[in-house]
Amino acid sequence: MNDVVHSSAGSTGTIHAAGVAIKDLRKSYGSNEVLKGISLNVAPGEVVCLIGPSGSGKSTLLRCVNLLEQPNEGSIHVGGFEATDPDVDIDKMRRKVGMVFQQFNLFPHLDAKRNCSIAQTKVLKRSQAEADAVSMHNLERVGLGHLADRFPDQLSGGQQQRVAIARALSMDPELMLFDEPTSALDPETVGDVLSVMRNLAKEGMTMLVVTHEMGFAREVADRVVFMDGGVVVEEGVAEQVISSPTQPRTKEFLRRVLDPTHIGLEE
Amino acid sequence: MAMTARQRARVSLYVQAGIFVVAIAALILATDWETIGNSVFNFAKIGPMFPGIFMTGLTNTLIYTFLGFIVGLSGGLLLALMKLSSFPLYRWIATGYIEFFRGIPALLVFIAFGYGVPLAFGVSWNITVIVMISLGMVASAYIAETLRAGLQAVPKGQLEAARSLGMPQWRAMITIVIPQAFKIVLPPLTNEVILLTKDSSLIYVLGLTASQYELTKFGRDGISSLGAGLTPLLVAGAFYLVITIPLSFLARKFESRTARNNR
């Protein structure tokens, strides 16, 4: 894993990082308002971790950015696209935005290399040879070049997630969204995935990461955003938010996450 | 006197087997073997059925079934996608079609397309076209429901992942979702082919010429011409089994393969 990424390793040379600007975003499911006016800016090349209790809306926010969820109000700008414009070319926009899911969502009927190449050939119209080369490059980037012909069910959870990252990178995204990428993993494979993400951050990729890995957030994120109940409660420099939060809800959440054994010892 | 539970279970099994044997014996004793021998198992007189029932009958049954299946598969896929559409009109049309064609006997569909439609529109269709359309329309109703279940069994994350890579909806369906759905429905789809093989027997109502005869028509003609009673139908039935039993095995093989992995 230690030879995974070095600074120049983008599949077309360098990463063209895009920024994100979210303004007054609202999203409801029926009468249940999940996002209650979120504003968030991510600069090109910045790494922002979204933390917060489950049900706080952080995954929904992430999924709004590439329109897997349709926001009700507010605006999202990604790179040169206004995602919330009704006339936006969704497919064109999504090519710039890589998404990594909690459950990997690899295509089970395709091997690792083909998982990485299929959208290149079908969407970017790259030749199979070029797509294969890009796929191999990115699989090597995540340390899995030697498993390129394995099918997803022949890979461990951590390996599958790294293939999923390579798949997203093969489209030359300008922004990567990670939706709890390590939550479904066995503890011993979490480190490999985080190390791939760390290297990607070093390369200058813009990353928006929903995570419960406080160690990762503290070390890799430029900023941490704490969400609860559909609003941003607190945001700031990662070290500062995690080590010395100012809001009571942030303190309470971090206390629970960083020291789960406190439950029952509170009285 | 007192038996253990295990002993009681064993005795019960013996009793059940005994009842079965007695019933079979009674059936054999009650049978009029001479008559049966002349009218059902009269294999001495069926020579003239060959090689026609094999060369023409079996071949035509296979061709008709195949054509019906191809039309049924395409129509079924279209209906399944319509039924899963977010546009209500498509859903209503698909539901109406499926309920209608599953609810009426296939025989009526054959008569409708063999006689009704040509009369109504003043067209005269080739028999192959009639078979293709009528068998295909019935098949699409059944196959649509099978495919719909298969499409819904593909996890939602697959479509999301494909769309996230910039694939348009249709591309994601064709490249990612439908191939996986087909793997899931391969066993039930094989069973549909078995049903279709048998439904193709209803073509006899269409008034076929000799070169268009399929298995059942051969059987029915044999009854009137050979003087071997119902024996020709027995022969035709055997040929159906030649088609359907391998398909059954195939379905089971697909099933165990799907259970093993999902590639």
Side-chain angles (χ1 to χ4, degrees):
Chain A
M1 281 310 305
N2 41 16
D3 58 346
V4 179
V5 197
H6 296 292
S7 52
S8 68
S11 58
T12 50
T14 45
I15 289 175
H16 301 278
V20 185
I22 301 169
K23 201 159 184 299
D24 299 327
L25 198 74
R26 290 177 181 273
K27 169 71 184 169
S28 309
Y29 298 102
S31 60
N32 178 25
E33 191 168 42
V34 183
L35 300 178
K36 301 173 180 166
I38 302 268
S39 294
L40 177 67
N41 288 309
V42 183
E46 196 181 16
V47 178
V48 173
C49 281
L50 294 170
I51 62 170
S54 58
S56 58
K58 46 195 197 311
S59 282
T60 307
L61 175 63
L62 198 72
R63 290 164 59 86
C64 280
V65 173
N66 74 346
L67 295 179
L68 284 179
E69 305 289 345
Q70 195 68 46
N72 299 104
E73 277 178 53
S75 70
I76 304 173
H77 286 81
V78 179
F81 291 89
E82 182 179 353
T84 37
D85 178 354
D87 286 331
V88 72
D89 185 337
I90 295 184
D91 300 318
K92 211 168 164 190
M93 186 198 86
R94 282 176 173 152
R95 288 177 216 164
K96 310 265 181 201
V97 183
M99 176 89 178
V100 175
F101 299 86
Q102 183 178 355
Q103 297 297 339
F104 332 135
N105 294 347
L106 288 183
F107 307 132
H109 59 305
L110 305 175
D111 66 19
K113 187 161 76 171
R114 202 99 172 88
N115 260 280
C116 295
S117 70
I118 186 93
Q120 295 183 61
T121 55
K122 304 292 184 190
V123 176
L124 300 180
K125 307 294 178 200
R126 286 180 182 157
S127 70
Q128 190 64 53
E130 187 191 356
D132 281 348
V134 172
S135 305
M136 283 311 298
H137 170 80
N138 283 305
L139 284 170
E140 272 153 27
R141 222 172 149 186
V142 300
L144 293 176
H146 59 298
L147 300 180
D149 56 354
R150 294 275 185 94
F151 283 83
D153 64 356
Q154 297 170 312
L155 298 169
S156 74
Q159 290 168 337
Q160 288 189 56
Q161 192 62 298
R162 284 190 277 155
V163 172
I165 294 172
R167 176 175 71 177
L169 290 176
S170 296
M171 301 296 284
D172 298 330
E174 300 177 1
L175 160 70
M176 287 284 286
L177 307 174
F178 293 85
D179 189 3
E180 301 199 24
T182 58
S183 298
L185 298 178
D186 292 332
E188 73 268 24
T189 67
V190 168
D192 290 341
V193 173
L194 291 181
S195 129
V196 166
M197 291 168 63
R198 187 179 300 118
N199 287 322
L200 198 57
K202 271 188 215 149
E203 275 186 69
M205 177 65 79
T206 314
M207 292 165 65
L208 197 48
V209 185
V210 172
T211 188
H212 295 294
E213 299 285 341
M214 292 306 141
F216 174 83
R218 193 197 313 244
E219 181 204 329
V220 178
D222 297 304
R223 259 189 313 142
V224 164
V225 174
F226 173 71
M227 285 177 68
D228 193 13
V231 296
V232 172
V233 175
E234 181 166 1
E235 65 170 292
V237 176
E239 178 64 34
Q240 191 187 322
V241 173
I242 293 172
S243 300
S244 43
T246 58
Q247 300 295 318
R249 274 194 282 176
T250 318
K251 286 181 189 168
E252 173 62 16
F253 171 75
L254 286 168
R255 200 157 57 85
R256 286 172 187 275
V257 173
L258 297 175
D259 179 21
T261 53
H262 81 282
I263 296 162
L265 302 174
E266 252 168 316
E267 309 312 304
Chain B
M1 192 57 207
M3 285 192 293
T4 66
R6 189 176 297 177
Q7 283 169 326
R8 271 201 304 276
R10 187 176 300 166
V11 169
S12 162
L13 280 181
Y14 284 140
V15 171
Q16 287 170 43
I19 291 171
F20 184 71
V21 168
V22 169
I24 295 284
L27 210 56
I28 289 174
L29 288 174
T31 303
D32 178 352
W33 285 106
E34 201 180 325
T35 311
I36 286 281
N38 284 331
S39 62
V40 180
F41 298 123
N42 197 345
F43 293 111
K45 289 188 182 170
I46 60 161
M49 292 180 80
F50 292 88
I53 191 168
F54 181 74
M55 300 299 284
T56 310
L58 184 68
T59 310
N60 279 338
T61 290
L62 286 172
I63 290 174
Y64 295 152
T65 305
F66 178 74
L67 292 176
F69 181 67
I70 294 302
V71 173
L73 196 61
S74 332
L77 182 59
L78 187 69
L79 286 165
L81 292 171
M82 282 170 77
K83 201 154 181 190
L84 295 174
S85 162
S86 54
F87 186 44
L89 181 66
Y90 285 160
R91 289 202 303 270
W92 296 333
I93 293 174
T95 306
Y97 180 99
I98 292 167
E99 294 308 325
F100 183 78
F101 279 96
R102 283 202 310 182
I104 60 170
L107 189 66
L108 297 192
V109 180
F110 278 103
I111 293 171
F113 280 97
Y115 300 105
V117 173
L119 273 180
F121 296 99
V123 290
S124 73
W125 280 342
N126 180 310
I127 200 86
T128 315
V129 174
I130 297 174
V131 169
M132 224 165 112
I133 293 179
S134 40
L135 206 54
M137 288 190 86
V138 175
S140 22
Y142 286 95
I143 291 176
E145 282 296 277
T146 306
L147 289 181
R148 181 193 53 78
L151 288 168
Q152 284 180 317
V154 176
K156 198 165 145 259
Q158 291 291 309
L159 184 62
E160 288 187 347
R163 296 302 307 270
S164 295
L165 290 165
M167 291 189 196
Q169 175 83 11
W170 63 270
R171 166 56 70 195
M173 290 302 286
I174 290 175
T175 312
I176 303 301
V177 178
I178 291 175
Q180 292 183 57
F182 264 107
K183 255 155 224 169
I184 295 169
V185 300
L186 219 44
L189 213 52
T190 314
N191 289 327
E192 300 289 354
V193 179
I194 293 176
L195 293 177
L196 212 55
T197 308
K198 295 184 292 174
D199 274 351
S200 74
S201 68
L202 299 169
I203 290 165
Y204 77 85
V205 297
L206 294 179
L208 307 168
T209 63
S211 66
Q212 298 162 343
Y213 282 14
E214 39 68 66
L215 288 173
T216 300
K217 182 67 179 164
F218 264 99
R220 289 171 61 88
D221 272 20
I223 293 175
S224 49
S225 64
L226 297 179
L230 298 173
T231 312
L233 276 189
L234 203 70
V235 176
F239 274 103
Y240 279 106
L241 291 177
V242 167
I243 303 173
T244 55
I245 288 178
L247 283 174
S248 276
F249 275 111
L250 202 63
R252 219 166 306 160
K253 209 166 172 189
F254 286 144
E255 224 161 291
S256 60
R257 209 191 60 181
T258 315
R260 248 199 345 272
N261 66 49
N262 48 10
R263 267 181 260 144

